[in-house]
Amino acid sequence: GDWSSDVCSSDLGILRQTAPMMAWPLVVAILVSLNTQANLYAVNLVLPVAALGVFYFAVQVAGQPSMFLVSPLTNVLATQFALARGDVRLERQSIVRTCEGAILFTSIACFGIAAAFPSLNRAVWGGKWTAASFSVCAMASAGCWSTVTAMLGGPLAGLRRFRLMALFEALKAVGILGGSLLGVLLRSEEHTSELQSPCNLVCRLLL
């Protein structure tokens, strides 16, 4: 009985000490989760139900650079920047180098997808996703910015700049909501071809 009480007291003590430190990481985790899901929820305000499948396909294709670059590099960059934490000069150099590399490789990947998709659509899917061509090109081009900013998550986590991470995610949430509202305001009453409406493009660019 005494042993279990000591263990519980010890666990509670550790929880009290770590709870304040976990506040901002928890906020970041919640915002990341909301932003990931809010993407599809938001377009319901702009797109007809019949076009959601095409939109989802376009998002998946255009988002490949982010999926392949951001997820694998997050832990690597977090560990690297944790070693540099406390050295202001080294932190700045590491951030600059990471941004330079991210901009270079992300631009090549994103614009490569935009350039190659029409040919891939004909060769692989027999032209089935022609309606998504314009959106894939637009999303992939705009995806350079979102992928580069997403890659900053690992470095900021390594440097324990969780407040700044939360600010990034909060601004992204504002972009999602603002883009959706703008899309609703600009949406034409007449029927437009699936994803090629200008309002849908504006909405997606702000996401």
Side-chain angles (χ1 to χ4, degrees):
D2 293 338
W3 179 81
S4 61
S5 298
D6 292 340
V7 171
C8 291
S9 299
S10 176
D11 290 343
L12 289 174
I14 294 174
L15 182 60
R16 292 192 191 97
Q17 293 176 359
T18 57
M21 293 186 291
M22 291 299 297
W24 281 108
L26 179 61
V27 171
V28 171
I30 293 173
L31 287 173
V32 169
S33 178
L34 289 175
N35 286 339
T36 302
Q37 300 300 322
N39 194 3
L40 291 177
Y41 289 124
V43 296
N44 281 299
L45 300 174
V46 183
L47 298 179
V49 175
L52 289 178
V54 181
F55 172 82
Y56 182 75
F57 174 81
V59 170
Q60 293 300 309
V61 173
Q64 291 305 306
S66 179
M67 296 177 188
F68 281 102
L69 292 175
V70 176
S71 298
L73 290 178
T74 296
N75 292 333
V76 175
L77 292 174
T79 302
Q80 177 186 350
F81 276 79
L83 298 175
R85 188 170 58 239
D87 187 333
V88 177
R89 180 173 171 274
L90 186 57
E91 287 181 5
R92 290 177 179 175
Q93 288 180 346
S94 299
I95 286 287
V96 171
R97 289 174 182 172
T98 299
C99 289
E100 288 176 346
I103 291 171
L104 174 62
F105 291 106
T106 299
S107 299
I108 293 174
C110 290
F111 285 103
I113 287 178
F117 179 76
S119 298
L120 286 174
N121 178 46
R122 291 191 296 269
V124 178
W125 296 291
K128 177 182 178 181
W129 298 104
T130 301
S133 297
F134 180 77
S135 295
V136 168
C137 293
M139 292 182 202
S141 301
C144 294
W145 161 254
S146 60
T147 303
V148 170
T149 55
M151 290 184 68
L152 291 176
L156 292 176
L159 297 175
R160 295 183 180 176
R161 305 289 176 83
F162 295 110
R163 292 188 182 186
L164 187 55
M165 290 181 67
L167 176 61
F168 272 153
E169 294 302 325
L171 290 175
K172 187 185 294 185
V174 171
I176 292 174
L177 295 176
S180 299
L181 292 175
L182 181 60
V184 171
L185 292 175
L186 295 179
R187 184 179 180 183
S188 173
E189 293 297 331
E190 62 181 355
H191 178 71
T192 54
S193 175
E194 302 245 335
L195 298 178
Q196 299 189 19
S197 171
C199 64
N200 297 334
L201 173 59
V202 172
C203 171
R204 179 56 191 169
L205 290 179
L206 289 177
L207 299 184

